[in-house]
Amino acid sequence: VKWRFDLARKNIAILRFIVSVLEFESSKFHAWKTPALTEREKRALISVKAAGDNNERALMVLAMFLRSTIGSHIDYLDKPLHVNQELKMYACVSELVRGYHCLSRLIDTQFPFPLAQMNRTFIVIWVFTLPMVLFHDSDDKVSSVVATFFLTYAFIGLELV
């Protein structure tokens, strides 16, 4: 029970750490202060932070703690895990780290300017042709004007965000 609890706690801690690292720009919450971390994990992360404030290294330290917990199943379980189960758990940790790196790369990638220009062009064409379509299909001109106003307001508002 202790091993499973420790494994679950470390999974939750690493997931909370990843979320706080990825959301730092909007929340300004430092991942080093994640409440799910133990004192030992916090000390290890502070030493990594002192070495250069690198979140990738910090994640690798937490992944190492998780892997060491997986490897300690021999000491805590009456019937140790089968080798294939243990390897599958290690593969899941590796996939978690790989997924984090993909997400951080996605967050750091800038939106290409030509694509933004094309989107703006499509929105302008849409907004200018929308009244013609609504006036043609509707007998009630007042509802067409109101619908056009709100749809135009919505699309231009989305463009400016």
Side-chain angles (χ1 to χ4, degrees), residues 1-7 10 65-90:
V1 173
K2 181 186 180 321
W3 179 79
R4 286 183 172 87
F5 174 76
D6 197 31
L7 189 67
K10 286 186 180 176
F65 278 120
L66 186 58
R67 286 182 179 119
S68 67
T69 301
I70 292 170
S72 69
H73 70 90
I74 296 170
D75 301 330
Y76 292 102
L77 296 178
D78 296 333
K79 182 181 174 194
L81 294 174
H82 190 271
V83 174
N84 290 338
Q85 291 174 323
E86 186 177 0
L87 289 175
K88 181 68 175 171
M89 293 175 88
Y90 287 135

Side-chain angles (χ1 to χ4, degrees), residues 111-127 155-156 158-161:
F111 193 70
F113 186 67
L115 191 57
Q117 283 181 317
M118 285 189 335
N119 286 341
R120 187 171 294 132
T121 304
F122 286 133
I123 287 176
V124 168
I125 291 170
W126 171 264
V127 165
F155 275 109
I156 298 299
L158 284 174
E159 171 60 29
L160 295 177
V161 169

Side-chain angles (χ1 to χ4, degrees), residues 52-64:
D53 201 17
N54 193 338
N55 290 328
E56 285 79 15
R57 274 189 265 162
L59 179 69
M60 297 308 284
V61 168
L62 290 177
M64 186 235 6

Side-chain angles (χ1 to χ4, degrees), residues 26-40:
S26 61
S27 69
K28 300 298 182 202
F29 178 77
H30 291 283
W32 320 103
K33 298 177 183 175
T34 303
L37 298 173
T38 63
E39 287 302 317
R40 181 177 174 220

